[in-house]
Amino acid sequence: MKRGKNYQESVKLIEHGKLYEIDEAMDLAVKASKAKFDETVEAHIKLGVDSRHADQQVRGAVVLPHGTGKKVRVLVFAKGDKIAEAEAAGADYAGGEELVQKIQSENWFEFDVVVATPDMMGVVGRIGRVLGPKGLMPNPKAGTVTMDLAKAIADIKAGKIEYRLDKTNIIHCPIGKVSFGKDKLTENFKTLLDAIVKAKPAAAKGQYLRSVAVASTMGPGIKLNPAKITD
């Protein structure tokens, strides 16, 4: 696969086969960003678990201290006074059956996160087949099924992200923008990593952090040393 000139220049900054420490990796992620837009920096963490087993699932949510740099649109499914509460807390959209119908009939997805009160999950479940594959289905473990809508919305707007294993046992998460600089990206990354380490299932055996890498949207991957980043 032929890569562009900017990518090839970025690759020259990274020593092949080297496993970097966190500060070095974040510094390189910033320096390797050559795009004309503010690239997102993502972390990719492969775990020594098997996501096919329920007792080895790793899933949760964490508030990044410096946010993600992205404006997040929140949709809340609620009813009665909870709709007004959600709107007052900063929800971009709040409602009930009418929003379910809008999604079903118009294929409407002008939102990034879905929050629901427990008493609305029966209604939300009707569109689970379309929300699920997009990673939008509310989940108690992620704090998106709750009666405390004000806190849930505030956390999301402040930079709360959800982490979960994919089918290849890898977690992919944004940790900020290139414009954040090395220090803020480092703090965000450490916060995410701490949460993932604390979420280690009791059934997980052997090395938990198998491989860790960071990369900007258009930049090359930078591998970190799993043995040192949790010291």
Side-chain angles (χ1 to χ4, degrees), residues 12-13 62 143:
K12 293 177 183 177
L13 299 172
V62 62

Side-chain angles (χ1 to χ4, degrees), residues 56-73:
Q56 294 187 46
Q57 287 292 330
V58 179
R59 181 175 186 174
V62 62
V63 178
L64 300 179
H66 302 288
T68 63
K70 177 184 177 183
K71 183 180 178 181
V72 182
R73 300 165 298 177

Side-chain angles (χ1 to χ4, degrees), residues 120-191:
M120 287 298 291
M121 286 306 293
V123 175
V124 177
R126 299 209 302 263
I127 50 174
R129 288 185 179 180
V130 292
L131 293 181
K134 294 179 181 292
L136 293 170
M137 192 66 182
N139 184 283
K141 289 184 179 179
T144 47
V145 177
T146 178
M147 291 300 286
D148 192 348
L149 297 177
K151 183 179 186 304
I153 294 166
D155 284 348
I156 292 166
K157 295 284 187 179
K160 184 177 183 178
I161 59 168
E162 183 179 354
Y163 58 86
R164 61 187 298 183
L165 289 172
D166 67 8
K167 292 180 180 178
T168 60
N169 305 314
I170 300 175
I171 289 173
H172 309 272
C173 279
I175 55 171
K177 297 285 187 178
V178 166
S179 61
F180 283 17
K182 179 189 74 173
D183 293 341
K184 288 183 178 180
L185 288 172
T186 296
E187 287 185 53
N188 276 359
F189 175 77
K190 286 181 176 179
T191 299

